[in-house]
Amino acid sequence: MNQEMKQYLSPVWTHLTEILVERGEGIYLYDTNGKSYMDFTSGIGVTSTGHCHPKVVEAIREQAGQLIFGQLNTVYHKPLFELIGQLRRVVPPELDRFFLANSGAEAVEGAVKLAKQATGRTNIVVFQGSFHGRTHLTMAMTTSKTVYRTRYQPLVAGIFVAPYPYAYRYGWDEETTLAFSIEELKRLLKSQSAPDETACIIVEPVLGEGGYVVPPSGFLKALREICDQHGVLLIADEIQSGFGRTGRYFAVQHEEIVPDIMVMAKGIASGVPISCIAYRGKLDDRWLRGSHGGTFGGNALACAAAAATIRVIRGEKLAENAAVRGKQLLNGLRRLQKDCRRLGDVRGLGLMAAAEFSQNGKPDEEAAKTVSRAAAEQGLLLLTCGTYGNVVRWIPPLIVTEEQIGEALRLFASALKRLY
Ligand SMILES: Cc1ncc(COP(=O)(O)O)c(C=O)c1O
């Protein structure tokens, strides 16, 4: 591989490491020297079934030899219907219409377009710390860090920001935080975006890029009630939290609420780009035919990979594994927290876990960076997140075993020693 070519890459990309990866298998990545790394980033939550799961690889190989692309405005194809069949088994049954696209941001854009046409209203409510993508609309809906919007102004108008119930950051208990967030949302609907102008409220059921925050129980139910009261559509952005990640197929299922629209991507196809909008069929007649679409969405190869991924998630009970391994991970991190004053908070749901670093009550980005760098040197890849970059996020493939979590915790414990 010619490293000289690196100079021609756009520097707009940031890079966690300089690893030149050659292949992946299960939870491991291997570089060109054969060195292995535990990939606890899952490519930012994508490789849910691990790298190159044999059943997914087989499905892609077989499909590539049959039909790579069948354009959906032009024809139908078999993998499309296989995928819809698999989605029907895991997506809440009330969401009985599906639209396919290629990336998370594209799905969010489509969901908002649907909400606007279906309600005839213009405004969108998002939450503080949200990440919904990097396109022109979705960056305006993203409030996790200014870097995603700086010098791209003016942004799309009509987007209003309500507080996410982030108890640790506010320094309050969960009940107080929940009451505050809901009250502020109601105030926003009174003071800034009138309900009859508000098309949708879009929420990450577990906040992702904004810090891996699990909201207090009752939050999603309260949003559902507010939406029902005002005819506002509730959109769940399950792009990072979906497909078994949190121990259920979708994070909204922990609170047993059903959104009106749900967007999915990342873990849906083990790495082949595809995303999906699921919505209530009653919205159909208000989404004008031909007013949304795209060339590549629902291509045969990606559909085959997604159908195989969902089959693996169901067949190997990976959501159940995420729940059990997630508990092991949180218990292990909490044990380590006892000996590390700068590790201020440990939280998570399933295999979406956070270790937040603070010092003197202030976000400690340096600690998160030092620890994630030290972990990478020892062969454990971990990403950071949060507005202040002070959260180490744990997002391993859902196939991770007890031994592998144990090994990752040992490496993390050793990385934490760099702080002293
Ligand atoms: C919750 C959430 N929504 C949307 C997106 C955007 O997805 P994509 O990068 O595929 O456009 C992401 C990506 O990190 C995400 O985590």
mmCIF file with all atom_site columns, all heavy atoms in Angstrom, residues 215-232:
data_model
loop_
_atom_site.group_PDB
_atom_site.id
_atom_site.type_symbol
_atom_site.label_atom_id
_atom_site.label_alt_id
_atom_site.label_comp_id
_atom_site.label_asym_id
_atom_site.label_entity_id
_atom_site.label_seq_id
_atom_site.pdbx_PDB_ins_code
_atom_site.Cartn_x
_atom_site.Cartn_y
_atom_site.Cartn_z
_atom_site.occupancy
_atom_site.B_iso_or_equiv
_atom_site.pdbx_formal_charge
_atom_site.auth_seq_id
_atom_site.auth_comp_id
_atom_site.auth_asym_id
_atom_site.auth_atom_id
_atom_site.pdbx_PDB_model_num
ATOM 1   N N   . PRO A 1 215 ? -31.378 8.677  29.117 1.00 0.00 ? 215 PRO A N   1
ATOM 2   C CA  . PRO A 1 215 ? -32.303 9.585  29.806 1.00 0.00 ? 215 PRO A CA  1
ATOM 3   C C   . PRO A 1 215 ? -33.011 8.862  30.949 1.00 0.00 ? 215 PRO A C   1
ATOM 4   O O   . PRO A 1 215 ? -33.138 7.645  30.921 1.00 0.00 ? 215 PRO A O   1
ATOM 5   C CB  . PRO A 1 215 ? -33.294 9.971  28.700 1.00 0.00 ? 215 PRO A CB  1
ATOM 6   C CG  . PRO A 1 215 ? -33.273 8.830  27.744 1.00 0.00 ? 215 PRO A CG  1
ATOM 7   C CD  . PRO A 1 215 ? -31.887 8.248  27.794 1.00 0.00 ? 215 PRO A CD  1
ATOM 8   N N   . PRO A 1 216 ? -33.494 9.622  31.943 1.00 0.00 ? 216 PRO A N   1
ATOM 9   C CA  . PRO A 1 216 ? -34.241 8.992  33.025 1.00 0.00 ? 216 PRO A CA  1
ATOM 10  C C   . PRO A 1 216 ? -35.480 8.306  32.474 1.00 0.00 ? 216 PRO A C   1
ATOM 11  O O   . PRO A 1 216 ? -36.054 8.777  31.478 1.00 0.00 ? 216 PRO A O   1
ATOM 12  C CB  . PRO A 1 216 ? -34.662 10.167 33.917 1.00 0.00 ? 216 PRO A CB  1
ATOM 13  C CG  . PRO A 1 216 ? -33.829 11.324 33.502 1.00 0.00 ? 216 PRO A CG  1
ATOM 14  C CD  . PRO A 1 216 ? -33.410 11.090 32.091 1.00 0.00 ? 216 PRO A CD  1
ATOM 15  N N   . SER A 1 217 ? -35.900 7.221  33.116 1.00 0.00 ? 217 SER A N   1
ATOM 16  C CA  . SER A 1 217 ? -37.091 6.550  32.594 1.00 0.00 ? 217 SER A CA  1
ATOM 17  C C   . SER A 1 217 ? -38.289 7.490  32.756 1.00 0.00 ? 217 SER A C   1
ATOM 18  O O   . SER A 1 217 ? -38.371 8.243  33.737 1.00 0.00 ? 217 SER A O   1
ATOM 19  C CB  . SER A 1 217 ? -37.279 5.187  33.256 1.00 0.00 ? 217 SER A CB  1
ATOM 20  O OG  . SER A 1 217 ? -38.107 5.297  34.339 1.00 0.00 ? 217 SER A OG  1
ATOM 21  N N   . GLY A 1 218 ? -39.164 7.480  31.771 1.00 0.00 ? 218 GLY A N   1
ATOM 22  C CA  . GLY A 1 218 ? -40.305 8.402  31.767 1.00 0.00 ? 218 GLY A CA  1
ATOM 23  C C   . GLY A 1 218 ? -40.121 9.514  30.750 1.00 0.00 ? 218 GLY A C   1
ATOM 24  O O   . GLY A 1 218 ? -41.094 10.160 30.347 1.00 0.00 ? 218 GLY A O   1
ATOM 25  N N   . PHE A 1 219 ? -38.887 9.730  30.291 1.00 0.00 ? 219 PHE A N   1
ATOM 26  C CA  . PHE A 1 219 ? -38.629 10.834 29.348 1.00 0.00 ? 219 PHE A CA  1
ATOM 27  C C   . PHE A 1 219 ? -39.331 10.590 28.013 1.00 0.00 ? 219 PHE A C   1
ATOM 28  O O   . PHE A 1 219 ? -40.074 11.436 27.514 1.00 0.00 ? 219 PHE A O   1
ATOM 29  C CB  . PHE A 1 219 ? -37.116 10.975 29.153 1.00 0.00 ? 219 PHE A CB  1
ATOM 30  C CG  . PHE A 1 219 ? -36.727 12.036 28.152 1.00 0.00 ? 219 PHE A CG  1
ATOM 31  C CD1 . PHE A 1 219 ? -37.109 13.357 28.327 1.00 0.00 ? 219 PHE A CD1 1
ATOM 32  C CD2 . PHE A 1 219 ? -35.958 11.710 27.034 1.00 0.00 ? 219 PHE A CD2 1
ATOM 33  C CE1 . PHE A 1 219 ? -36.733 14.341 27.403 1.00 0.00 ? 219 PHE A CE1 1
ATOM 34  C CE2 . PHE A 1 219 ? -35.579 12.679 26.117 1.00 0.00 ? 219 PHE A CE2 1
ATOM 35  C CZ  . PHE A 1 219 ? -35.975 13.999 26.296 1.00 0.00 ? 219 PHE A CZ  1
ATOM 36  N N   . LEU A 1 220 ? -39.132 9.410  27.448 1.00 0.00 ? 220 LEU A N   1
ATOM 37  C CA  . LEU A 1 220 ? -39.707 9.141  26.121 1.00 0.00 ? 220 LEU A CA  1
ATOM 38  C C   . LEU A 1 220 ? -41.230 9.103  26.196 1.00 0.00 ? 220 LEU A C   1
ATOM 39  O O   . LEU A 1 220 ? -41.926 9.576  25.294 1.00 0.00 ? 220 LEU A O   1
ATOM 40  C CB  . LEU A 1 220 ? -39.145 7.830  25.554 1.00 0.00 ? 220 LEU A CB  1
ATOM 41  C CG  . LEU A 1 220 ? -37.627 7.817  25.320 1.00 0.00 ? 220 LEU A CG  1
ATOM 42  C CD1 . LEU A 1 220 ? -37.164 6.444  24.845 1.00 0.00 ? 220 LEU A CD1 1
ATOM 43  C CD2 . LEU A 1 220 ? -37.216 8.881  24.302 1.00 0.00 ? 220 LEU A CD2 1
ATOM 44  N N   . LYS A 1 221 ? -41.743 8.554  27.308 1.00 0.00 ? 221 LYS A N   1
ATOM 45  C CA  . LYS A 1 221 ? -43.214 8.530  27.496 1.00 0.00 ? 221 LYS A CA  1
ATOM 46  C C   . LYS A 1 221 ? -43.755 9.954  27.537 1.00 0.00 ? 221 LYS A C   1
ATOM 47  O O   . LYS A 1 221 ? -44.796 10.253 26.937 1.00 0.00 ? 221 LYS A O   1
ATOM 48  C CB  . LYS A 1 221 ? -43.553 7.822  28.806 1.00 0.00 ? 221 LYS A CB  1
ATOM 49  C CG  . LYS A 1 221 ? -43.671 6.326  28.673 1.00 0.00 ? 221 LYS A CG  1
ATOM 50  C CD  . LYS A 1 221 ? -44.706 5.781  29.683 1.00 0.00 ? 221 LYS A CD  1
ATOM 51  C CE  . LYS A 1 221 ? -44.915 4.297  29.432 1.00 0.00 ? 221 LYS A CE  1
ATOM 52  N NZ  . LYS A 1 221 ? -43.992 3.464  30.174 1.00 0.00 ? 221 LYS A NZ  1
ATOM 53  N N   . ALA A 1 222 ? -43.042 10.828 28.237 1.00 0.00 ? 222 ALA A N   1
ATOM 54  C CA  . ALA A 1 222 ? -43.498 12.228 28.332 1.00 0.00 ? 222 ALA A CA  1
ATOM 55  C C   . ALA A 1 222 ? -43.476 12.888 26.946 1.00 0.00 ? 222 ALA A C   1
ATOM 56  O O   . ALA A 1 222 ? -44.400 13.640 26.601 1.00 0.00 ? 222 ALA A O   1
ATOM 57  C CB  . ALA A 1 222 ? -42.617 13.000 29.315 1.00 0.00 ? 222 ALA A CB  1
ATOM 58  N N   . LEU A 1 223 ? -42.450 12.585 26.150 1.00 0.00 ? 223 LEU A N   1
ATOM 59  C CA  . LEU A 1 223 ? -42.405 13.149 24.794 1.00 0.00 ? 223 LEU A CA  1
ATOM 60  C C   . LEU A 1 223 ? -43.586 12.647 23.969 1.00 0.00 ? 223 LEU A C   1
ATOM 61  O O   . LEU A 1 223 ? -44.215 13.403 23.214 1.00 0.00 ? 223 LEU A O   1
ATOM 62  C CB  . LEU A 1 223 ? -41.103 12.758 24.081 1.00 0.00 ? 223 LEU A CB  1
ATOM 63  C CG  . LEU A 1 223 ? -39.790 13.267 24.667 1.00 0.00 ? 223 LEU A CG  1
ATOM 64  C CD1 . LEU A 1 223 ? -38.640 12.932 23.718 1.00 0.00 ? 223 LEU A CD1 1
ATOM 65  C CD2 . LEU A 1 223 ? -39.846 14.761 24.910 1.00 0.00 ? 223 LEU A CD2 1
ATOM 66  N N   . ARG A 1 224 ? -43.859 11.342 24.116 1.00 0.00 ? 224 ARG A N   1
ATOM 67  C CA  . ARG A 1 224 ? -44.991 10.751 23.375 1.00 0.00 ? 224 ARG A CA  1
ATOM 68  C C   . ARG A 1 224 ? -46.282 11.498 23.716 1.00 0.00 ? 224 ARG A C   1
ATOM 69  O O   . ARG A 1 224 ? -47.079 11.831 22.842 1.00 0.00 ? 224 ARG A O   1
ATOM 70  C CB  . ARG A 1 224 ? -45.063 9.264  23.717 1.00 0.00 ? 224 ARG A CB  1
ATOM 71  C CG  . ARG A 1 224 ? -46.108 8.396  23.051 1.00 0.00 ? 224 ARG A CG  1
ATOM 72  C CD  . ARG A 1 224 ? -45.939 8.192  21.575 1.00 0.00 ? 224 ARG A CD  1
ATOM 73  N NE  . ARG A 1 224 ? -46.513 9.291  20.808 1.00 0.00 ? 224 ARG A NE  1
ATOM 74  C CZ  . ARG A 1 224 ? -46.444 9.414  19.484 1.00 0.00 ? 224 ARG A CZ  1
ATOM 75  N NH1 . ARG A 1 224 ? -45.811 8.520  18.758 1.00 0.00 ? 224 ARG A NH1 1
ATOM 76  N NH2 . ARG A 1 224 ? -46.984 10.432 18.858 1.00 0.00 ? 224 ARG A NH2 1
ATOM 77  N N   . GLU A 1 225 ? -46.469 11.762 25.008 1.00 0.00 ? 225 GLU A N   1
ATOM 78  C CA  . GLU A 1 225 ? -47.704 12.440 25.455 1.00 0.00 ? 225 GLU A CA  1
ATOM 79  C C   . GLU A 1 225 ? -47.797 13.848 24.885 1.00 0.00 ? 225 GLU A C   1
ATOM 80  O O   . GLU A 1 225 ? -48.847 14.280 24.398 1.00 0.00 ? 225 GLU A O   1
ATOM 81  C CB  . GLU A 1 225 ? -47.736 12.511 26.984 1.00 0.00 ? 225 GLU A CB  1
ATOM 82  C CG  . GLU A 1 225 ? -48.283 11.248 27.612 1.00 0.00 ? 225 GLU A CG  1
ATOM 83  C CD  . GLU A 1 225 ? -48.067 11.242 29.117 1.00 0.00 ? 225 GLU A CD  1
ATOM 84  O OE1 . GLU A 1 225 ? -48.043 12.328 29.738 1.00 0.00 ? 225 GLU A OE1 1
ATOM 85  O OE2 . GLU A 1 225 ? -47.888 10.126 29.648 1.00 0.00 ? 225 GLU A OE2 1
ATOM 86  N N   . ILE A 1 226 ? -46.684 14.582 24.944 1.00 0.00 ? 226 ILE A N   1
ATOM 87  C CA  . ILE A 1 226 ? -46.684 15.966 24.445 1.00 0.00 ? 226 ILE A CA  1
ATOM 88  C C   . ILE A 1 226 ? -46.994 15.964 22.940 1.00 0.00 ? 226 ILE A C   1
ATOM 89  O O   . ILE A 1 226 ? -47.789 16.780 22.442 1.00 0.00 ? 226 ILE A O   1
ATOM 90  C CB  . ILE A 1 226 ? -45.330 16.646 24.746 1.00 0.00 ? 226 ILE A CB  1
ATOM 91  C CG1 . ILE A 1 226 ? -45.202 16.882 26.251 1.00 0.00 ? 226 ILE A CG1 1
ATOM 92  C CG2 . ILE A 1 226 ? -45.173 17.955 23.983 1.00 0.00 ? 226 ILE A CG2 1
ATOM 93  C CD1 . ILE A 1 226 ? -43.823 17.298 26.717 1.00 0.00 ? 226 ILE A CD1 1
ATOM 94  N N   . CYS A 1 227 ? -46.383 15.031 22.214 1.00 0.00 ? 227 CYS A N   1
ATOM 95  C CA  . CYS A 1 227 ? -46.628 14.954 20.766 1.00 0.00 ? 227 CYS A CA  1
ATOM 96  C C   . CYS A 1 227 ? -48.097 14.644 20.490 1.00 0.00 ? 227 CYS A C   1
ATOM 97  O O   . CYS A 1 227 ? -48.724 15.257 19.616 1.00 0.00 ? 227 CYS A O   1
ATOM 98  C CB  . CYS A 1 227 ? -45.719 13.899 20.133 1.00 0.00 ? 227 CYS A CB  1
ATOM 99  S SG  . CYS A 1 227 ? -44.027 14.462 19.991 1.00 0.00 ? 227 CYS A SG  1
ATOM 100 N N   . ASP A 1 228 ? -48.644 13.675 21.226 1.00 0.00 ? 228 ASP A N   1
ATOM 101 C CA  . ASP A 1 228 ? -50.051 13.296 21.017 1.00 0.00 ? 228 ASP A CA  1
ATOM 102 C C   . ASP A 1 228 ? -50.973 14.485 21.292 1.00 0.00 ? 228 ASP A C   1
ATOM 103 O O   . ASP A 1 228 ? -51.945 14.721 20.577 1.00 0.00 ? 228 ASP A O   1
ATOM 104 C CB  . ASP A 1 228 ? -50.438 12.128 21.923 1.00 0.00 ? 228 ASP A CB  1
ATOM 105 C CG  . ASP A 1 228 ? -49.814 10.826 21.438 1.00 0.00 ? 228 ASP A CG  1
ATOM 106 O OD1 . ASP A 1 228 ? -49.349 10.791 20.275 1.00 0.00 ? 228 ASP A OD1 1
ATOM 107 O OD2 . ASP A 1 228 ? -49.742 9.863  22.218 1.00 0.00 ? 228 ASP A OD2 1
ATOM 108 N N   . GLN A 1 229 ? -50.650 15.206 22.344 1.00 0.00 ? 229 GLN A N   1
ATOM 109 C CA  . GLN A 1 229 ? -51.497 16.343 22.746 1.00 0.00 ? 229 GLN A CA  1
ATOM 110 C C   . GLN A 1 229 ? -51.549 17.419 21.653 1.00 0.00 ? 229 GLN A C   1
ATOM 111 O O   . GLN A 1 229 ? -52.584 18.051 21.441 1.00 0.00 ? 229 GLN A O   1
ATOM 112 C CB  . GLN A 1 229 ? -50.897 16.932 24.036 1.00 0.00 ? 229 GLN A CB  1
ATOM 113 C CG  . GLN A 1 229 ? -51.789 17.927 24.724 1.00 0.00 ? 229 GLN A CG  1
ATOM 114 C CD  . GLN A 1 229 ? -51.029 18.604 25.868 1.00 0.00 ? 229 GLN A CD  1
ATOM 115 O OE1 . GLN A 1 229 ? -49.985 18.114 26.317 1.00 0.00 ? 229 GLN A OE1 1
ATOM 116 N NE2 . GLN A 1 229 ? -51.551 19.724 26.330 1.00 0.00 ? 229 GLN A NE2 1
ATOM 117 N N   . HIS A 1 230 ? -50.430 17.592 20.944 1.00 0.00 ? 230 HIS A N   1
ATOM 118 C CA  . HIS A 1 230 ? -50.348 18.712 19.997 1.00 0.00 ? 230 HIS A CA  1
ATOM 119 C C   . HIS A 1 230 ? -50.327 18.295 18.532 1.00 0.00 ? 230 HIS A C   1
ATOM 120 O O   . HIS A 1 230 ? -50.120 19.151 17.656 1.00 0.00 ? 230 HIS A O   1
ATOM 121 C CB  . HIS A 1 230 ? -49.090 19.539 20.285 1.00 0.00 ? 230 HIS A CB  1
ATOM 122 C CG  . HIS A 1 230 ? -49.091 20.190 21.637 1.00 0.00 ? 230 HIS A CG  1
ATOM 123 N ND1 . HIS A 1 230 ? -50.001 21.151 22.000 1.00 0.00 ? 230 HIS A ND1 1
ATOM 124 C CD2 . HIS A 1 230 ? -48.289 20.001 22.718 1.00 0.00 ? 230 HIS A CD2 1
ATOM 125 C CE1 . HIS A 1 230 ? -49.765 21.537 23.239 1.00 0.00 ? 230 HIS A CE1 1
ATOM 126 N NE2 . HIS A 1 230 ? -48.734 20.856 23.693 1.00 0.00 ? 230 HIS A NE2 1
ATOM 127 N N   . GLY A 1 231 ? -50.492 17.013 18.244 1.00 0.00 ? 231 GLY A N   1
ATOM 128 C CA  . GLY A 1 231 ? -50.440 16.567 16.846 1.00 0.00 ? 231 GLY A CA  1
ATOM 129 C C   . GLY A 1 231 ? -49.059 16.733 16.229 1.00 0.00 ? 231 GLY A C   1
ATOM 130 O O   . GLY A 1 231 ? -48.908 16.897 15.010 1.00 0.00 ? 231 GLY A O   1
ATOM 131 N N   . VAL A 1 232 ? -48.032 16.715 17.086 1.00 0.00 ? 232 VAL A N   1
ATOM 132 C CA  . VAL A 1 232 ? -46.642 16.802 16.607 1.00 0.00 ? 232 VAL A CA  1
ATOM 133 C C   . VAL A 1 232 ? -46.148 15.376 16.387 1.00 0.00 ? 232 VAL A C   1
ATOM 134 O O   . VAL A 1 232 ? -46.470 14.475 17.174 1.00 0.00 ? 232 VAL A O   1
ATOM 135 C CB  . VAL A 1 232 ? -45.768 17.517 17.672 1.00 0.00 ? 232 VAL A CB  1
ATOM 136 C CG1 . VAL A 1 232 ? -44.289 17.458 17.317 1.00 0.00 ? 232 VAL A CG1 1
ATOM 137 C CG2 . VAL A 1 232 ? -46.226 18.966 17.862 1.00 0.00 ? 232 VAL A CG2 1
#
